[in-house]
Amino acid sequence: METEPTYSVIDIPIIGEGKPEPLQNRLRTFPWWFVALLITLALTFFLVLTTQNYREAFTFIAVGLGVTTSISLISYSFALVIGLIAGMGRISRNVLYRNVSTYYVEVVRGVPMLVLIFYIAFVFVPDIIGGVNQFGFFLEELSNGQIGSALAQIENQSFSTYWRAVIALSITYGAFLAEIFRAGIESIERGQMEAARSLGMSYRQAMRYVILPQAIRNVLPALGNDFIAMVKDSSLVSVLAVRDITQIARLFAGRSFRFREAYTILVVLYLTITIILSLSVRIFERRMSRESR
Amino acid sequence: MNPADPIIEVKDLYKYFGRVKALNGVNLTVDRGRVVVIIGPSGSGKSTLLRCINRLEVPTSGEIWVDGQLLTKNEKQLNEIRAEIGMVFQLFNLFPHLTVLENITLAQKVVRKRSTEEAQKIALSKLQRVGILEKAEVFPRQLSGGQQQRVAIARALAMDPKIMLFDEPTSALDPEMIKEVLDVMLDLAREGMTMVVVTHEMGFARAAADEIIFMDEGLIVEQTTPEALFSNPKHERTKLFLSQILHK
């Protein structure tokens, strides 16, 4: 696959592959760093179990795991839909569709994610709500009183920071996933589309039944990697005071002045999540490449 | 749509790829039930002509009539006409994510709106016809090149096409697999299928073609019967080409 990773994901080694090698070679190529990583994690969890300060930090911060998980899952689901639509748009023959999609992808890719999150949460979402209000007033004047006044009365404050964060992450990652989907579609040989069209299928039918099933299969590992990246980037929503693990760690540190404990726990929580996810992606990738042999 | 009318009519067809002129004013009529073989050096425009007939390539100018209908850019009309024109590609272009059976039923269900049972029944009969009924449940990558190309032919036939186009169907095959594909094509020709075949297989042309066309530099240089072309080529370019391929 020619999809470039947009970030770094832990390159989990898989041990026990291939033929047995001489001991010397095995010692040289053995992933010592990974063992060291696991020992670091184990030591920290040992601290959590044995020392009061670390235990307090852990029980306090782990409460945010639910928010980190749910915000990542929900945003990623939206991003998948947005990404698929925008990715197909990037290669569409329809001039408007293609240009709108490219505009969106390039704007998102050209702005730092932190800035985007501020912009979407504090400018874009209020603008949308304002637009809905205007539409409500318009309906009211058309004498469709109930729906109109309901829409007109939606207040900016009633939209929680949690959902602003979800919208911000979805829009940002939608653009990244769009590029993955585009590359996936472009990786399918032209002959596939030609064969489908020569049988009388429309462009849509050919996309749906022939191109996308192959393209999505090809990009599954890349999609998995981007999910891991999103879990890490979800820490940025702490700037909106969303109570994910990063925000709660900041609160704990600010209140107790135990910065070392708070941020060590935070690091270890993220590492544990990303290692597990990276491992799943690698195993899945291996199974796929074995199947297609 | 008088049955006596030609099923394919190409009028004054030009196709440019940027500055490259692939077709330089081609006129061609194909009558129902005829087998037309197109030969010529690479780059002579023979594949482009074939691909224009079902509009996989959009002509720069000129008209193409298929079964009494002028091909336009109207997508709906194009899809309907394409369903009537089977095409077999040099590189097979089977759908790798589908089994052989699914390859053959997909377009029947989606385009012809046949039920799964009906589509499968037709698919199996076409598979039997190309001689690989036992491979219905395997994936294309588990087949040899010759078997894949026969599946591709079955896939096209399952749509009950009025015309079959073959774009160098044996060029990507190992020598020992060419015959099994040509045999299927010979059967089709005998049964009266209208066929337009771009190929380098002169044996097939001799055995099956009603007409043979020699193309060079985007033009039809000579159009006659195989016997006349092989025994008595009229043009210098035809003679040169035949001497090159027959003396190999």
Side-chain angles (χ1 to χ4, degrees), chain B residues 120-176:
Chain B
Q120 286 186 349
K121 215 179 109 195
I122 295 172
L124 292 173
S125 77
K126 301 299 175 192
L127 273 179
Q128 186 161 32
R129 181 170 177 179
V130 300
I132 36 175
L133 188 55
E134 72 281 5
K135 301 289 186 188
E137 298 299 334
V138 308
F139 285 90
R141 64 170 177 275
Q142 295 162 274
L143 299 177
S144 72
Q147 290 171 329
Q148 289 193 42
Q149 192 62 297
R150 285 190 280 158
V151 172
I153 294 174
R155 180 175 68 177
L157 288 178
M159 300 294 286
D160 298 322
K162 294 179 175 148
I163 305 165
M164 287 284 288
L165 306 178
F166 293 85
D167 188 5
E168 304 201 25
T170 57
S171 298
L173 296 178
D174 290 333
E176 74 272 19

Side-chain angles (χ1 to χ4, degrees), chain B residues 1-231:
Chain B
M1 264 185 259
N2 186 336
D5 289 342
I7 194 161
I8 303 173
E9 238 185 318
V10 175
K11 293 179 183 167
D12 226 13
L13 187 65
Y14 286 82
K15 173 67 185 175
Y16 301 159
F17 293 103
R19 286 197 183 154
V20 181
K21 299 176 177 179
L23 295 175
N24 263 323
V26 171
N27 290 283
L28 173 70
T29 58
V30 178
D31 291 325
R32 277 161 219 277
R34 302 280 274 183
V35 176
V36 177
V37 168
I38 306 176
I39 61 170
S42 59
S44 60
K46 46 195 195 316
S47 282
T48 308
L49 173 59
L50 202 69
R51 292 161 58 83
C52 281
I53 292 176
N54 66 356
R55 221 185 162 90
L56 284 182
E57 300 291 353
V58 178
T60 307
S61 71
E63 287 183 359
I64 294 167
W65 295 74
V66 174
D67 205 17
Q69 290 194 66
L70 176 67
L71 295 196
T72 64
K73 61 181 177 185
N74 179 328
E75 285 281 322
K76 200 163 171 285
Q77 181 219 19
L78 266 183
N79 293 337
E80 283 165 14
I81 294 180
R82 281 183 180 137
E84 306 292 336
I85 308 176
M87 184 149 189
V88 175
F89 299 85
Q90 181 176 356
L91 296 173
F92 330 134
N93 295 343
L94 294 180
F95 307 134
H97 61 303
L98 301 178
T99 64
V100 164
L101 192 64
E102 290 164 343
N103 261 276
I104 306 177
T105 52
L106 176 61
Q108 291 189 68
K109 292 196 278 191
V110 171
V111 179
R112 289 274 191 243
K113 311 288 179 203
R114 290 174 186 157
S115 69
T116 305
E117 298 79 51
E118 193 190 358
Q120 286 186 349
K121 215 179 109 195
I122 295 172
L124 292 173
S125 77
K126 301 299 175 192
L127 273 179
Q128 186 161 32
R129 181 170 177 179
V130 300
I132 36 175
L133 188 55
E134 72 281 5
K135 301 289 186 188
E137 298 299 334
V138 308
F139 285 90
R141 64 170 177 275
Q142 295 162 274
L143 299 177
S144 72
Q147 290 171 329
Q148 289 193 42
Q149 192 62 297
R150 285 190 280 158
V151 172
I153 294 174
R155 180 175 68 177
L157 288 178
M159 300 294 286
D160 298 322
K162 294 179 175 148
I163 305 165
M164 287 284 288
L165 306 178
F166 293 85
D167 188 5
E168 304 201 25
T170 57
S171 298
L173 296 178
D174 290 333
E176 74 272 19
M177 291 167 188
I178 291 176
K179 188 173 176 300
E180 64 188 56
V181 172
L182 289 182
D183 283 346
V184 171
M185 291 168 62
L186 274 172
D187 278 348
L188 264 182
R190 275 189 214 114
E191 287 164 30
M193 175 64 79
T194 308
M195 295 164 66
V196 182
V197 183
V198 171
T199 187
H200 298 292
E201 294 296 327
M202 296 304 141
F204 175 80
R206 243 185 252 270
D210 299 307
E211 276 171 72
I212 187 161
I213 288 171
F214 173 69
M215 283 186 73
D216 196 19
E217 295 182 349
L219 281 168
I220 293 183
V221 177
E222 208 162 323
Q223 178 171 9
T224 177
T225 61
E227 299 78 41
L229 190 90
F230 289 124
S231 57

